[in-house]
Amino acid sequence: MASLSRFGSMHRQVLLLATAQALFQTTSVLVMTVGGLAGSLIAPSPQLATAPIAAMFLGTAVATFPASLWMARVGRRRGFVAGALLGAAGGMAAAAGLWLGSLALLALGTFLVGTYQAFAQFYRFAASEVATDSFRARAISLVLAGGIVAALAGPLLGRLGGPLLSPEYVGSFLLLAIVSLVAAGLLLGLRIPAPKAETGVAAAGRPWGVIVAQPAYLVALFGAATGYGVMILAMTATPIAMIHHDHGLAAATTVIQLHVLGMFLPSFFTGSLIARFGVLRVMLAGVTLLAGHVLMTLTGTAFESFAGALVMLGVGWNFLYIGGTTLLTTTYAAAEKGRAQATNDMSIFVVGLVCSLGAAALLQAFGWQALNLLLLPWLAVAALALLWLGYRRRRSAAAALAD
């Protein structure tokens, strides 16, 4: 009876985290949808129009490590609720910035939304902590599946809120604040079991350098960073490239929505694939799909070529990101999770930030197809790293049998 109760509780907590993920990503996609448009209304120069979006990414980069370490002391629930409340404050500050015509206040608001994102990045790790070993990969992928809702709700709320109040987009950011408050209330119901008590060296955890130097940790980090970086670089460049090749804004928006669905729809079965075929094979399939994205871009610049490439890009990201997260959870003890997870996520986000900032310049310098071709060496290194770790594990298993 106790095991059945725990089974039901585990699934309820995973569902709660998936819902919180949907709400958080709705706010993130909303900022990506209207942040530049809102900035253009009050920016003193066109070059500063995207400052609110850059401020959100900066907020996440700055807050990721402190958020992880603080939650290691005070617990996931308190940290997640605090993060959602920061998101609500950010939405209200951004709305006030628009109303007052202050770009700095608008950017401060989106910076706070970025700190919300920093806390929310750890929802998938929380799912691994409430799940049994056999359900862990599925739990992580199901939580990330919440992004399906955000793919539709984020742009919708942004558009609905645009004309709701004056100045334009004030309503969008107030809706963002409301969504964040709903998430905070939901997260009050989160219950994560306390980790088993450890003593001695296990209680203190290994030094940071020892944790990070593990081959599995490095491959997990590099794989997830590859998926995230390649995805951000290509996704950021896509709308610009489509407009350049005479596609309208509606077509570009449709391609991005298909891409986001490609990112999150596979989450319903990625965990099962990992359980059946192993995490390294699924991650290698992710690299293959990203290479398929590059090859698809070479077929031309028609709508179908962009759509097919971006769907493959999304699914490849899904396999690498969920696979990398699953592999990472095998490399640290409970006392080490704060440092291990924060280092992983901050590194991934820095790679994403650099790729997002460099996308426009690379596109201008090389063009759409050549830009994507530049990704192939990066993907080749990722594939070699996965094959190397698989070989290392097989050799260790064979040695253990021989003994």
Side-chain angles (χ1 to χ4, degrees), residues 238 241-242 245 247 255 300-311 368:
T238 294
M242 290 189 69
H245 289 287
H247 295 283
V255 166
T301 55
F303 175 86
E304 293 76 14
S305 294
F306 278 107
L310 268 290
V311 169
W368 170 244

Side-chain angles (χ1 to χ4, degrees), residues 162-227:
L164 197 60
L165 295 170
S166 182
E168 197 172 7
Y169 304 116
V170 167
S172 300
F173 286 103
L174 291 177
L175 288 174
L176 184 155
I178 292 170
V179 171
S180 302
L181 286 173
V182 171
L186 176 74
L187 287 162
L188 288 172
L190 183 64
R191 298 289 185 274
I192 296 181
K196 295 179 181 179
E198 295 176 319
T199 59
V201 176
R206 293 166 294 176
W208 174 84
V210 174
I211 300 168
V212 174
Q214 297 172 95
Y217 186 99
L218 292 172
V219 171
L221 169 57
F222 187 67
T226 297

